[in-house]
Amino acid sequence: MATKRVPPTQIDGNATIADVVEGLDKPVEYVRRVLERLERCKRAFGDSQVRIAVRSRAECPNYLIEYVREDPKTRQRTTHQDAAYSGSTHRELGPHHIEAAGMWSPEEMNITAVSALIGRLRNPRAPSRSDNED
């Protein structure tokens, strides 16, 4: 007897982690592990951001850690790939994953945005400033 396969949830072509966080298997753990990778990249290169793989499992999308360098003379900013990671194991993926055409969302989240996201996940009912101003 054949089992029915549920079609995978599609990830929007320009999604960020914030856009897919509701559908993640373990959102706090996933975002925490991504943040660890971002912090390591920031220590090494002074900057870090993350893009998700739009052609991977929506419950735990693979992700690409990058950093941006600015040429001091031209002020031109160049993005460099640090490493790609499996969204389910958080292990580094081979370089061929980075080059896969159409794999990565054009939208990224920087380390500050990911830190804010994990804060909201860990404390979803925290009152905002405006709630206290009566």
Side-chain angles (χ1 to χ4, degrees):
M1 191 159 109
T3 57
K4 280 189 178 177
R5 293 205 48 187
V6 178
T9 304
Q10 291 293 305
I11 299 174
D12 187 50
N14 60 356
T16 65
I17 293 172
D19 297 325
V20 300
V21 74
E22 297 294 323
L24 296 175
D25 279 343
K26 298 176 183 157
V28 174
E29 178 65 7
Y30 178 91
V31 176
R32 183 186 71 76
R33 300 286 293 271
V34 170
L35 192 56
E36 282 178 355
R37 302 294 184 268
L38 285 166
E39 287 169 344
R40 186 193 57 74
C41 180
K42 185 172 178 157
R43 280 192 303 274
F45 302 107
D47 181 43
S48 62
Q49 61 189 32
V50 62
R51 296 177 194 275
I52 59 171
V54 296
R55 293 190 300 178
S56 64
R57 292 182 42 223
E59 308 80 45
C60 54
N62 295 345
Y63 55 96
L64 176 65
I65 303 294
E66 303 173 315
Y67 59 96
V68 178
R69 288 287 164 107
E70 187 175 286
D71 183 298
K73 291 182 183 145
T74 64
R75 292 277 193 235
Q76 182 136 6
R77 294 169 59 83
T78 312
T79 302
H80 302 272
Q81 286 85 20
D82 180 35
Y85 295 91
S86 161
S88 55
T89 65
H90 299 276
R91 289 195 182 106
E92 192 169 334
L93 299 171
H96 67 279
H97 288 278
I98 294 174
E99 284 113 35
M103 174 68 87
W104 307 107
S105 170
E107 299 295 321
E108 80 284 327
M109 287 181 76
N110 65 25
I111 191 168
T112 306
V114 176
S115 294
L117 177 61
I118 198 165
R120 288 193 303 275
L121 289 171
R122 287 180 170 159
N123 196 358
R125 302 223 192 291
S128 67
R129 280 200 194 292
S130 59
D131 291 343
N132 296 333
E133 295 172 3
D134 283 337

